[in-house]
Amino acid sequence: MNKIKILRSGLYTTVQDMRRVGFKRYGIPDSGPMDEYSHILANWLVGNHYSSETLEINYYGPKIKFNFDTTIGLSGANFNAYLNDKKLVINKSVKVKSGDLLDIGMCLDGGRIYLSFSAKMKLLKSFNSLSTYDKIKIGGVNGKKLAKNDFINFLKSKEVIHRTIPDSFNRKYQKISTIRIIKGVNYDMINEKSIHKVSKEFKVSSDSDRMGIRLKGNKLKVLNQNSIESTIVSKGTIQLPPGGDPIILMSDSQSTGGYPILANIARVDIPKVSQIKPESILKFKFITLEESESLINFEKRKFKSKLGIDLSS
């Protein structure tokens, strides 16, 4: 049996894919990678479809022993990663032999990295997906983050050519991040004094998780909190709870929400938001819906022309 053994779990490592679609009406979130951009690139390194499963690794990674030959890919933030004590460079496909040890240590910038394999994981699907959603214990390995001594079984590994992600896809994660947003349906309800504060600095709270990135240090107010009805929300929606600290909803967020919707993150910047470390600075910049759609189309053309990935499929 082809498998890997988790010798050290890391801080928070889960199985994620992009296949859980259409179940929000039943209260089941899509889950999936926080940083879809890096997830897609990791899968490209090993010749997988972009929606295929990867391991999402947060801040401090796992130590993994392989008992079969395969090829792996790592993409996302920079981590201290070693294969048999030899330092790995991310964004390159790497051949792994049976008996090899992969050690992914501390994150050097950003917060997440994605590990792909040129073999399919042999795990039970939940709602058409292997994505872990630990609130109700579905997907992944027993519906939870990876733990020491867990095993993941795989089908036969396929042969893949060595690949390197072009430099034009590399992203730098800085201490102050500017995130583009589009005004939300309840933006006009913001208190006049608060409007000028939206473009000021926020700090990312350490209370953030896969459900939402919580902001602090710059409280905002709305005119009439009680007039809001429950509304459909999605990944990238920025809600404003009564306390005044905005929340950016992420991969494991609920389907509907009763808080005012201040804005929505431009889709191309959602992966960037997911990489911002706690206590780092975030600033918002307003753009139009048309500008956001133009950015999406540009990114799709770039993936298609340079990597042969059709993100419209």
Side-chain angles (χ1 to χ4, degrees):
M1 179 72 71
N2 296 333
K3 62 185 178 183
I4 60 173
K5 182 179 181 180
I6 307 302
L7 304 182
R8 183 188 69 237
S9 61
L11 182 63
Y12 195 91
T13 304
T14 59
V15 177
Q16 300 294 339
D17 63 29
M18 293 173 61
R19 297 189 178 118
R20 186 172 294 140
V21 179
F23 295 98
K24 278 201 162 189
R25 61 184 180 272
Y26 305 118
I28 304 297
D30 294 342
S31 295
M34 292 278 278
D35 179 353
E36 292 184 358
Y37 182 90
S38 298
H39 169 93
I40 291 167
L41 291 174
N43 271 316
W44 179 81
L45 285 171
V46 295
N48 290 342
H49 188 269
Y50 67 81
S51 66
S52 299
E53 63 275 9
T54 62
L55 291 185
E56 179 179 89
I57 295 160
N58 294 262
Y59 301 113
Y60 178 62
K63 189 173 185 179
I64 298 170
K65 184 170 184 178
F66 291 76
N67 90 327
F68 70 113
D69 297 353
T70 189
T71 301
I72 61 170
L74 281 166
S75 187
N78 279 303
F79 276 67
N80 278 319
Y82 298 86
L83 184 65
N84 301 326
D85 297 324
K86 182 180 179 181
K87 190 169 178 59
L88 289 181
V89 177
I90 69 167
N91 294 328
K92 295 176 182 285
S93 53
V94 178
K95 289 193 177 297
V96 175
K97 299 291 186 182
S98 179
D100 281 355
L101 289 175
L102 175 65
D103 190 342
I104 301 173
M106 292 296 297
C107 180
L108 303 176
D109 65 6
R112 294 176 170 88
I113 195 168
Y114 293 81
L115 172 61
S116 60
F117 306 83
S118 63
K120 293 182 180 297
M121 295 182 189
K122 202 172 177 183
L123 294 170
L124 183 66
K125 286 186 178 181
S126 295
F127 300 97
N128 199 40
S129 167
L130 299 182
S131 289
T132 308
Y133 179 43
D134 57 8
K135 293 289 187 292
I136 59 172
K137 299 293 186 288
I138 62 171
V141 179
N142 302 317
K144 59 183 180 61
K145 66 180 181 180
L146 294 186
K148 183 178 179 180
N149 294 326
D150 276 348
F151 288 92
I152 298 178
N153 295 322
F154 290 79
L155 299 176
K156 185 179 179 181
S157 186
K158 65 188 178 191
E159 285 294 323
V160 296
I161 59 171
H162 182 273
R163 285 177 166 179
T164 300
I165 295 170
D167 289 343
S168 60
F169 285 86
N170 293 344
R171 290 185 166 177
K172 294 181 179 179
Y173 304 107
Q174 300 167 335
K175 290 184 179 179
I176 299 179
S177 299
T178 300
I179 301 300
R180 291 164 289 193
I181 60 174
I182 303 117
K183 288 181 180 179
V185 294
N186 305 124
Y187 176 79
D188 291 340
M189 293 182 62
I190 300 173
N191 179 289
E192 190 173 342
K193 290 182 179 179
S194 291
I195 288 175
H196 303 291
K197 296 171 68 178
V198 176
S199 299
K200 303 295 183 183
E201 292 183 352
F202 294 86
K203 263 192 176 182
V204 174
S205 170
S206 57
D207 290 335
S208 302
D209 56 20
R210 282 182 48 86
M211 290 190 72
I213 294 173
R214 298 174 179 270
L215 306 181
K216 63 180 183 178
N218 184 11
K219 290 186 182 295
L220 308 176
K221 292 182 179 180
V222 294
L223 299 174
N224 186 0
Q225 186 81 39
N226 297 325
S227 66
I228 300 296
E229 294 183 359
S230 190
T231 309
I232 294 173
V233 295
S234 61
K235 188 175 180 180
T237 296
I238 306 174
Q239 290 187 318
L240 189 59
D245 292 322
I247 301 172
I248 303 170
L249 301 185
M250 295 302 287
S251 297
D252 287 348
S253 68
Q254 69 276 20
S255 306
T256 60
Y259 296 141
I261 296 175
L262 165 68
N264 294 280
I265 305 290
R267 186 173 163 189
V268 294
D269 279 357
I270 294 176
K272 187 177 175 182
V273 169
S274 76
Q275 293 284 2
I276 301 174
K277 286 184 174 182
E279 303 303 319
S280 295
I281 301 296
L282 176 154
K283 295 179 73 174
F284 290 130
K285 177 185 177 183
F286 283 104
I287 63 171
T288 65
L289 180 60
E290 291 73 22
E291 286 173 313
S292 177
E293 289 174 346
S294 178
L295 291 167
I296 293 167
N297 290 331
F298 176 80
E299 189 164 273
K300 285 181 177 179
R301 290 194 300 270
K302 181 179 174 181
F303 271 90
K304 184 70 181 294
S305 64
K306 295 198 172 187
L307 302 181
I309 300 173
D310 186 358
L311 294 177
S312 61
S313 62

